[in-house]
Amino acid sequence: MKLYLTLLLPFFFLSCKDSNPPKAVESNNGDSQYYSEAYRPQFHFSPSEKWMNDPNGLVYHKGTYHLFYQYYPEDIVWGPMHWGHAVSEDLIRWTHKPIALYPDELGYIFSGSAVVDHHNSSGFGTEENPPLVAIFTYHLMEGEQAGRNDFQTQGIAYSLDNGDSWTKYEGNPVIGNSNIRDFRDPKVFWHEQSERWILTLVAGDYAKFYASQNLKDWDLVSEFGREQGAHGGVWECPDLFKLPVAGSSEEKWVLLISINPGAPNGGSGTQYFVGDFDGTTFTTDQSGEKWLDHGRDNYAGVTYNNTPDGKRVFIGWMSNWDYARSTPTEVWRSAMTLPRELQLHKEGDQYFLTNYPIDALSSISSEVGTHDITSTNTNFILYRDDLHNSDITFEAKLSEKLDIHLGNDNDEWVQLAWDPESKVMQFDRTRSGQTDFKDNFASPVQKQSYDPQQRDVEVRLLIDQSSIEVFIDKGRYVFTNQVFPEQPYNFMDVETAPNVIIKRFKHHTLTSIWKGNE
């Protein structure tokens, strides 16, 4: 790490703590091992044990947010997929539920979505007790191993007790396969204008749209993407929804598409398209690629159906297929990103999507300190304390060069840097801690373009036991990354031009969401 001429003014140097690993999180019954393993996230969702990947079936119903997810209950590496299940009242604190969907003779249960069938169009429930309906991909491993291309089909299941138990439809599959190898990940919503259900799924590296009146019988109505967007890998986990354009009366449709490989900084990532949807066809004038997140650990994310306030809330899988099976955890593997609200903005004739943590995160937040900082020195310690379980924000003009290092006394560190001359910001985790479990974990240094602003821009860092999420300018620029330091990061230092002003530097600690939650 660089040698700094360190400036330690009283308001820079907050209370110091020993640089020991995080203490065990104690539950109400005294079980000090609950969610206390090394690198265990404390305010992100992770399974109690074993393997997890994509979020599935995100839906709100009767006061409950449901999070289903790809789950293998026998090992911490990928295996025969089930739908795991957790519920929350606020999208922050989660309660584990029994496995929702198990593999059967039609195959493993791959990714999909869930809806509230308010008018009982499926006939599975009643108008007084409308069913939850899950739509998912069946993956028949025997078909894949036999060299066939039709081994993925789409099935449905329903619940009449708000997700506690599920019955698979006896007529499955509801969408067969016409010899397409990668044919999966259905996302369904009710389209008010055409008064029918719309299903989006991916076929290789493009999307297909289907329509139905009853969630059982589906007709192919259009396709999208053969010549648009990034095509460096397989398309996955589509999501189509409408958003208002902030500060205007305009509305546009947004299509999320995950892709693996082919992300801008390597491996897995999520691109998006802004356009129009008429109930049959999605169109866009967008040129070039747009990416939701330039970090390496935000993949397969989708949004909630039926939210009570109409907000578009997104959750992603906080990993990357380049190294997902190799990360250094032992009891469980993988976590989800924080829930984020998506908003659409327009600058000139260009649209862009922001993603930013939901307001409910404040319910587990406690303020440590707030300061305005003016320095005449180019190198200084901005903060010293245990930074795990932290929410740190500040404002600064990013029209001058600025480097932020989070580090520890073991010379492990990450760097967040802005270079206004080249109009590039970057996140470097090459020295972040354990990185040798997979050659391509630490590199490349992640980069994204930005427009230097002659105004104060918010920088927000959310630091858990094994992740850092960076939101710049209210989520216009985002880096989401896993990190595995041997010791907690316990200082933040700055390298910048003289006379820098860092305004409204705030540090909040975040309480574990798992304490006593068994």
Side-chain angles (χ1 to χ4, degrees):
M1 190 173 180
K2 299 173 183 175
L3 294 175
Y4 286 122
L5 176 62
T6 303
L7 177 65
L8 296 176
L9 298 181
F11 47 79
F12 289 55
F13 196 95
L14 305 184
S15 60
C16 295
K17 294 183 179 179
D18 294 334
S19 298
N20 294 322
K23 295 180 180 179
V25 178
E26 294 188 3
S27 66
N28 287 343
N29 67 2
D31 179 5
S32 63
Q33 300 306 307
Y34 187 69
Y35 268 70
S36 65
E37 305 94 341
Y39 303 127
R40 173 67 86 167
Q42 293 303 306
F43 57 92
H44 293 79
F45 179 83
S46 60
S48 58
E49 60 178 2
K50 309 305 181 182
W51 169 273
M52 178 186 76
N53 56 288
D54 307 3
N56 298 152
L58 304 187
V59 66
Y60 177 87
H61 186 45
K62 295 182 177 178
T64 299
Y65 291 94
H66 293 271
L67 168 61
F68 301 93
Y69 52 90
Q70 292 286 276
Y71 186 54
Y72 181 44
E74 301 298 327
D75 204 341
I76 61 168
V77 294
W78 189 95
M81 285 290 96
H82 303 55
W83 268 25
H85 188 199
V87 295
S88 176
E89 294 181 357
D90 61 2
L91 287 168
I92 300 298
R93 302 168 182 86
W94 295 95
T95 300
H96 295 297
K97 302 284 282 187
I99 291 172
L101 295 173
Y102 288 79
D104 60 33
E105 68 278 2
L106 295 178
Y108 301 167
I109 311 297
F110 271 22
S111 291
S113 55
V115 296
V116 182
D117 184 9
H118 287 289
H119 302 297
N120 193 35
S121 65
S122 62
F124 292 141
T126 64
E127 290 202 17
E128 293 75 26
N129 185 28
L132 281 179
V133 180
I135 305 95
F136 53 88
T137 294
Y138 272 119
H139 182 99
L140 186 63
M141 185 58 71
E142 292 85 348
E144 180 183 13
Q145 292 172 342
R148 291 158 41 192
N149 286 332
D150 62 351
F151 52 84
Q152 291 184 339
T153 58
Q154 317 311 315
I156 61 176
Y158 65 91
S159 174
L160 300 177
D161 54 10
N162 199 16
D164 284 343
S165 62
W166 290 86
T167 302
K168 291 172 183 169
Y169 176 48
E170 61 184 12
N172 281 336
V174 295
I175 300 178
N177 189 328
S178 59
N179 206 39
I180 300 172
R181 183 172 179 81
D182 296 298
F183 182 70
R184 56 180 179 259
D185 307 344
K187 180 65 190 289
V188 174
F189 69 96
W190 178 257
H191 186 252
E192 292 287 352
Q193 287 70 30
S194 62
E195 296 185 328
R196 58 183 182 174
W197 298 101
I198 299 297
L199 179 151
T200 311
L201 58 75
V202 284
D205 64 348
Y206 65 97
K208 288 177 173 283
F209 299 96
Y210 293 77
S212 174
Q213 296 292 336
N214 60 11
L215 294 168
K216 303 173 186 175
D217 304 301
W218 294 93
D219 296 314
L220 177 65
V221 295
S222 68
E223 297 178 350
F224 170 80
R226 290 180 183 268
E227 297 180 357
Q228 289 99 345
H231 290 268
V234 175
W235 283 20
E236 296 189 294
C237 303
D239 194 357
L240 178 65
F241 48 87
K242 184 166 62 174
L243 280 178
V245 179
S248 77
S249 58
E250 185 181 14
E251 292 182 320
K252 300 291 284 186
W253 286 81
V254 176
L255 176 64
L256 302 182
I257 297 286
S258 290
I259 181 172
N260 177 63
N265 284 305
S268 313
T270 302
Q271 60 181 322
Y272 68 90
F273 304 88
V274 180
D276 297 292
F277 181 69
D278 61 6
T280 299
T281 305
F282 177 80
T283 58
T284 181
D285 296 327
Q286 178 177 312
S287 61
E289 301 166 8
K290 295 182 183 293
W291 297 92
L292 189 71
D293 192 319
H294 280 72
R296 297 206 65 203
D297 292 308
N298 183 358
Y299 188 62
V302 287
T303 65
Y304 268 88
N305 284 329
N306 200 48
T307 53
D309 53 11
K311 292 182 178 180
R312 187 56 56 174
V313 178
F314 168 98
I315 293 178
W317 174 45
M318 197 156 55
S319 198
N320 189 310
W321 281 116
D322 273 358
Y323 44 77
R325 298 175 178 89
S326 305
T327 53
T329 61
E330 296 179 357
V331 175
W332 88 102
R333 185 164 280 142
S334 295
M336 297 300 183
T337 68
L338 282 172
R340 306 171 181 185
E341 182 182 355
L342 303 184
Q343 293 186 343
L344 187 62
H345 300 260
K346 188 176 184 180
E347 190 171 78
D349 60 353
Q350 296 295 313
Y351 298 93
F352 64 91
L353 198 61
T354 61
N355 63 112
Y356 194 73
I358 61 172
D359 292 341
L361 187 64
S362 63
S363 67
I364 59 169
S365 176
S366 299
E367 185 173 304
V368 175
T370 300
H371 304 277
D372 286 348
I373 299 167
T374 303
S375 172
T376 57
N377 200 311
T378 58
N379 302 312
F380 60 91
I381 294 287
L382 177 62
Y383 186 80
R384 180 174 283 275
D385 204 346
D386 186 340
L387 293 173
H388 281 173
N389 296 9
S390 288
D391 181 355
I392 292 174
T393 62
F394 61 87
E395 296 180 12
K397 285 187 174 65
L398 302 183
S399 54
E400 299 289 341
K401 188 173 181 179
L402 177 64
D403 290 358
I404 302 289
H405 287 77
L406 305 180
N408 62 27
D409 298 329
N410 200 36
D411 198 24
E412 298 170 329
W413 51 268
V414 298
Q415 179 204 45
L416 180 64
W418 294 265
D419 184 354
E421 288 190 11
S422 61
K423 296 185 177 180
V424 169
M425 64 176 68
Q426 69 178 39
F427 187 95
D428 182 350
R429 64 176 179 185
T430 56
R431 296 281 299 277
S432 58
Q434 288 197 59
T435 62
D436 59 358
F437 51 86
K438 201 70 186 294
D439 291 343
N440 56 3
F441 173 77
S443 60
V445 174
Q446 301 154 33
K447 297 181 179 181
Q448 64 177 301
S449 300
Y450 84 106
D451 182 17
Q453 298 290 314
Q454 295 293 335
R455 60 179 175 86
D456 291 328
V457 174
E458 184 195 75
V459 178
R460 186 174 185 184
L461 302 95
L462 287 149
I463 308 163
D464 207 337
Q465 305 297 306
S466 54
S467 66
I468 300 175
E469 292 164 289
V470 180
F471 302 90
I472 300 161
D473 203 5
K474 294 294 185 180
R476 181 170 185 174
Y477 309 101
V478 179
F479 290 107
T480 300
N481 284 293
Q482 296 181 86
V483 290
F484 300 97
E486 297 284 358
Q487 300 176 14
Y489 300 129
N490 68 332
F491 63 82
M492 176 185 292
D493 55 31
V494 176
E495 182 179 4
T496 189
N499 302 311
V500 65
I501 300 176
I502 294 179
K503 296 182 179 179
R504 287 175 284 279
F505 174 83
K506 296 181 181 180
H507 176 218
H508 290 76
T509 58
L510 299 172
T511 304
S512 173
I513 63 173
W514 299 109
K515 188 173 183 179
N517 182 7
E518 300 175 81

